Amino acid sequence: MRSRDAARWRAIAPGRVNLIGEHTDYNGLPVFPIAIDRDVRIEFRVVDDPVVRLDSPSARFAPFAFQLKRPIEPAAQGDWSNYVRAAARGLLEHGISLKRGIEGTVSGDAPIASGLSSSSALVVASALALLKANGVDVDDGAARGDGSRAMSRLELAALMARAERFVGLEGGGMDQAACLHGVEGHALRIEFDPLRVTPVPVPDGWRWVVASSLVRAEKSAGARGRYNERARQCREALAASVGAVPGGQAPNSGNRATNTAPAYNDLVSAADPGGLLRRVRRILSPVLFRRFRHVVTEGRRVALAEQAMRDVNMHRFGQLMVRSHESLRDDYEVSTGELDAIVGVALEAGAAGARLTGAGFGGCAVALCDDSTVAPVMEALTARFYKPRLGGPPTTDMLFVAKPGGGAGVQEM
Ligand code: NG1
């Protein structure tokens, strides 16, 4: 038998494509992504010192090392090691002792800074590698009789969502949960507070075409301020709208005192959403009202879209994607001309629906196609979006069909 130190391991964590429910997670509302068959992987061996040493085949990512000791200080803003530091810091702060470290190489085929959650995939892969190195299993949360240490996937997803905020984004928990809970052939309804994941089968004959806008959406750098500004505006809008939400309009608000701000979750299930929006409009500034309207209507669209998928009514699902894109463009103001162009071309070429996916500000769009429209949609995007901009066809990182894939894990190599 090989000694433990000689063993080599591979932690694999998928990216995700969010199908609908954008900028809802940090407002406590459900999202509906798929984990995809593109991943970030760390090939590593366990070392006896509490140290992380990682490199990458890509010249863009310089090798780094840090000690697994509190406090773990961040590297410069935008430095890729911050995602690994975030994972280590989250585990240490959770009280997990990291006496052993890892040494290895990070690679993968999940496109970077594209709204496909390669950052959370790196955070999750790092956490899984460090847990493996320190003998902590990650399982489905069932009770263990043998006294061995284990952490459930849900617990790890929630912990890594908090940990990733170390990088400076006031993000929600969608990405880490999708990455850890992916199920082949399924979309995932993810709910928050408490975190819950429910797989929903994607009907046969339907595909998700992912198209890059060719504009990077660096949430560790440029897009961070605009993302966090949206999160702040949503909190302000909610606090300011309290006077417009009498008890009868907030059916889930229980016995909350009337001067307590409602939760978006209460508002999404309001009996008269039109009336609610009219009242709130009188109170909020135009910008805060638009942010509020996006969150509340997007929350409703997620529930309707899940039902449409369960009913195998994918044209209805596609219409809801289009409404989502319009709301992100007009009310949330996170789309770009490039993303709008991709959505327009995909719909004209026969896609059942299309929208930006992820935070926006660049990154990717996703189009819903049946088997017969995949090729025409990809050809139209190539001819009308990519060729004029690139002078040639897109790479397979820019335009591809994403398959709903399984969740993150560690294998022996
Ligand atoms: P992307 O753009 O894929 O990094 C970000 C957030 C999500 C969610 C979406 C918008 C992180 C790590 N990711 O995703 O939680 O809020 O924006 O729906 O914060």
Side-chain angles (χ1 to χ4, degrees):
M1 219 177 92
R2 281 188 292 168
S3 82
R4 183 186 173 109
D5 283 347
R8 290 195 64 82
W9 302 90
R10 186 187 285 127
I12 302 184
R16 62 101 186 93
V17 171
N18 191 18
L19 306 181
I20 195 157
E22 219 63 83
H23 292 277
T24 50
D25 60 353
Y26 53 81
N27 290 307
L29 293 176
V31 293
F32 202 64
I34 52 173
I36 59 173
D37 55 338
R38 300 251 178 162
D39 57 53
V40 169
R41 45 188 66 198
I42 306 179
E43 293 184 356
F44 66 98
R45 69 180 192 93
V46 177
V47 294
D48 280 329
D49 311 320
V51 67
V52 171
R53 265 187 226 104
L54 291 173
D55 58 24
S56 149
S58 161
R60 277 176 51 205
F61 300 113
F64 65 85
F66 67 89
Q67 293 289 319
L68 290 167
K69 292 208 177 90
R70 296 174 74 178
I72 292 181
E73 298 296 344
Q77 186 175 319
D79 188 304
W80 73 296
S81 76
N82 282 334
Y83 294 105
V84 186
R85 291 170 195 264
R89 184 176 150 142
L91 295 174
L92 287 171
E93 285 182 357
H94 193 63
I96 294 172
S97 121
L98 300 178
K99 294 211 164 61
R100 295 162 70 93
I102 56 168
E103 208 169 69
T105 298
V106 181
S107 61
D109 59 359
I112 293 161
S114 301
L116 301 181
S117 187
S118 59
S119 63
S120 301
L122 177 54
V123 171
V124 168
S126 305
L128 289 174
L130 289 169
L131 289 172
K132 171 59 75 182
N134 289 280
V136 182
D137 286 338
V138 176
D139 63 17
D140 60 7
R144 293 159 71 94
D146 60 2
S148 60
R149 288 179 299 162
M151 192 179 223
S152 77
R153 284 179 179 265
L154 277 176
E155 212 181 335
L156 183 59
L159 181 61
M160 287 304 112
R162 289 197 297 279
E164 197 170 332
R165 295 196 190 124
F166 174 63
V167 185
L169 202 68
E170 295 175 30
M174 158 166 60
D175 302 348
Q176 303 79 5
C179 178
L180 277 155
H181 289 89
V183 179
E184 246 173 68
H186 288 67
L188 309 165
R189 179 181 76 227
I190 302 176
E191 297 160 278
F192 304 94
D193 313 316
L195 186 62
R196 273 168 300 175
V197 182
T198 311
V200 178
V202 175
D204 287 344
W206 292 90
R207 314 283 195 97
W208 310 101
V209 172
V210 174
S212 165
S213 69
L214 307 176
V215 177
R216 291 168 67 81
E218 296 275 15
K219 259 122 11 246
S220 60
R224 178 162 88 161
R226 283 176 289 164
Y227 181 99
N228 288 345
E229 177 189 44
R230 300 295 184 286
R232 197 170 52 246
Q233 288 169 332
C234 290
R235 290 194 297 272
E236 277 173 32
L238 192 59
S241 69
V242 64
V245 187
Q249 292 299 327
N252 297 334
S253 58
N255 56 5
R256 273 198 197 113
T258 44
N259 63 352
T260 303
Y264 278 109
N265 207 15
D266 298 331
L267 304 181
V268 166
S269 47
D272 172 18
L276 169 73
L277 289 175
R278 277 193 298 280
R279 285 193 303 282
V280 169
R281 183 173 223 150
R282 290 199 283 270
I283 296 177
L284 298 182
S285 68
V287 172
L288 287 192
F289 175 68
R290 290 199 299 276
R291 305 296 186 255
F292 180 94
R293 181 166 57 187
H294 168 71
V295 175
V296 172
T297 58
E298 185 78 350
R300 294 179 85 90
R301 282 186 289 271
V302 172
L304 294 170
E306 180 189 344
Q307 194 53 51
M309 187 177 280
R310 289 185 185 278
D311 294 344
V312 196
N313 185 349
M314 295 305 275
H315 287 285
R316 171 80 178 130
F317 194 102
Q319 286 161 1
L320 290 160
M321 290 174 74
V322 175
R323 296 287 96 76
S324 167
H325 184 79
E326 290 165 351
S327 179
L328 288 159
R329 182 191 63 200
D330 301 336
D331 277 355
Y332 220 64
E333 297 173 281
V334 293
S335 190
T336 62
E338 292 84 0
L339 289 164
D340 295 343
I342 290 172
V343 167
V345 170
L347 293 174
E348 279 169 33
R355 57 184 287 282
L356 71 83
T357 184
F361 313 112
C364 288
V366 56
L368 169 61
C369 299
D370 64 20
D371 282 341
S372 67
T373 50
V374 172
V377 165
M378 291 176 85
E379 279 157 21
L381 287 169
T382 299
R384 293 173 53 195
F385 185 81
Y386 293 105
K387 283 195 173 155
R389 287 169 175 81
L390 299 170
T395 65
T396 52
D397 265 1
M398 297 171 185
L399 182 65
F400 61 95
V401 176
K403 287 202 190 72
V410 182
Q411 315 161 340
E412 188 163 1
M413 287 172 66

